[in-house]
Amino acid sequence: MIEIKRNYDAEDFCFEAKCEGELIADIHGEIKDKVFTVKSYNGDKFLFDGVLRSALNNADHEGAVSAVIADTIPDEFVKTFVGGRRLESIAEFFDGKKEN
């Protein structure tokens, strides 16, 4: 079973995916001026969507309104996420009101 959760001990905003305690993916970013910016991702491209959605959900609860995935994240990873590189509204994305 894969467990995805925030690493509150990390210096930045970090979400990790672990399988049986072993780190298999992580995403790093920051929330500034109500924008969650995803700065880096390490892991399989097929885990990107799930780790990102978990991070977005938490960023929403932390006060982020929108999100941006930095150009440093390869397009092949971003293509697995239906929201694209920019989400104008995290809340609308999760409510299903925005066509993606």
Side-chain angles (χ1 to χ4, degrees):
M1 181 170 88
I2 296 174
E3 179 181 50
I4 303 172
K5 65 181 185 175
R6 185 167 175 184
N7 178 350
Y8 286 97
D9 294 329
E11 292 182 18
D12 60 356
F13 189 95
C14 173
F15 260 75
E16 299 176 336
K18 293 182 177 182
C19 183
E20 297 180 7
E22 179 182 340
L23 182 66
I24 57 174
D26 60 357
I27 205 164
H28 293 265
E30 71 175 353
I31 299 172
K32 185 176 181 183
D33 298 326
K34 297 186 178 186
V35 178
F36 173 46
T37 302
V38 177
K39 294 184 172 188
S40 68
Y41 173 75
N42 299 300
D44 187 280
K45 73 178 180 179
F46 297 107
L47 292 174
F48 181 74
D49 181 84
V51 178
L52 178 58
R53 286 173 186 261
S54 294
L56 285 168
N57 185 48
N58 188 258
D60 179 49
H61 290 290
E62 294 287 330
V65 174
S66 60
V68 175
I69 300 172
D71 291 337
T72 56
I73 310 294
D75 286 338
E76 69 180 284
F77 290 89
V78 179
K79 287 179 183 177
T80 67
F81 176 65
V82 297
R85 284 202 183 267
R86 296 192 179 285
L87 287 180
E88 295 300 319
S89 172
I90 296 171
E92 284 184 12
F93 173 76
F94 282 114
D95 286 343
K97 295 177 185 172
K98 182 175 181 178
E99 291 295 319
N100 294 307

